[in-house]
Amino acid sequence: MNAELPLRKLVLRLVLVVAAMFAFGFALVPIYDVMCQAFGINGKTAGAYEGTQTVDEARQVRVQFLATNAAGMVWTFEPLADQIEVHPGASTEVRFVAYNPSDKPMAAQAVPSVSPSKAAAYFHKTECFCFTQQVLQPGERIEMPVRFIVDRDLPDDVHHLTLAYTLFDITSRQPALAHNGG
């Protein structure tokens, strides 16, 4: 009977640890959001913007563009311009180029990020290839536009923004492509 008591305590402790780990898993997303906000990383952008603004001709903001591939993505992916100067309130278009060098159709999804994170709320995309999945045939190359407005209310201490995209291979999530591609 004495050996049974420590075993019960051990089982109870293990059940509590599993429950705590499960709860922590659910808390990770809000914790991640708070940490990103606190440290100014991974500025999330909103969906499509449909408003209008007047242009602030007296101010310019430099917007830098970055493109990276997630692990396993074989496409070449890059902006046509590394950076541009824009007037807040002005609608601006830049293009990114993607090329599928593989011998099979592939699908991709681009995930955007704006830094500094406090500027993300002032960066409005009116059109973006990141809103939809991109499918390229073997050897196909496309230019993908991004139209955006840097809000006139961007804080005065922000003079430089970076719009970064990470391109993910989602071919396996597209049953027709995964089946046709091999």
Side-chain angles (χ1 to χ4, degrees):
M1 194 161 185
N2 284 343
E4 203 173 289
L5 188 59
L7 183 60
R8 282 187 185 171
K9 285 183 178 180
L10 175 63
V11 169
L12 180 61
R13 287 180 182 161
L14 289 174
V15 167
L16 289 174
V17 166
V18 168
M21 290 170 56
F22 187 74
F24 183 71
F26 278 103
L28 281 178
V29 171
I31 290 171
Y32 176 79
D33 288 340
V34 168
M35 296 301 287
C36 288
Q37 182 66 31
F39 293 111
I41 56 175
N42 197 27
K44 295 179 180 177
T45 63
Y49 176 77
E50 296 180 6
T52 59
Q53 294 197 5
T54 56
V55 178
D56 180 357
E57 295 287 343
R59 182 174 178 201
Q60 281 195 318
V61 176
R62 182 171 39 126
V63 181
Q64 179 180 14
F65 306 101
L66 300 175
T68 58
N69 287 349
M73 174 48 95
V74 298
W75 291 8
T76 56
F77 174 54
E78 60 191 10
L80 287 180
D82 291 332
Q83 65 184 18
I84 60 172
E85 298 281 334
V86 300
H87 293 287
S91 180
T92 306
E93 179 179 305
V94 295
R95 293 184 174 269
F96 283 71
V97 176
Y99 170 70
N100 177 3
S102 76
D103 60 353
K104 63 183 180 185
M106 292 180 68
Q109 180 72 51
V111 177
S113 177
V114 173
S115 63
S117 64
K118 75 177 185 176
Y122 303 96
F123 189 90
H124 309 294
K125 294 186 301 294
T126 59
E127 180 183 333
C128 183
F129 58 90
C130 62
F131 297 154
T132 59
Q133 299 171 352
Q134 305 300 316
V135 177
L136 292 182
Q137 298 303 313
E140 185 177 5
R141 176 189 181 276
I142 59 169
E143 288 189 14
M144 304 174 295
V146 178
R147 287 193 186 98
F148 64 90
I149 298 171
V150 175
D151 199 299
R152 289 178 52 95
D153 295 330
L154 179 73
D156 290 336
D157 64 333
V158 178
H159 307 286
H160 174 233
L161 299 169
T162 301
L163 174 60
Y165 287 99
T166 302
L167 194 64
F168 291 87
D169 178 1
I170 59 166
T171 305
S172 63
R173 295 185 198 164
Q174 305 295 322
L177 286 176
H179 177 67
N180 291 339

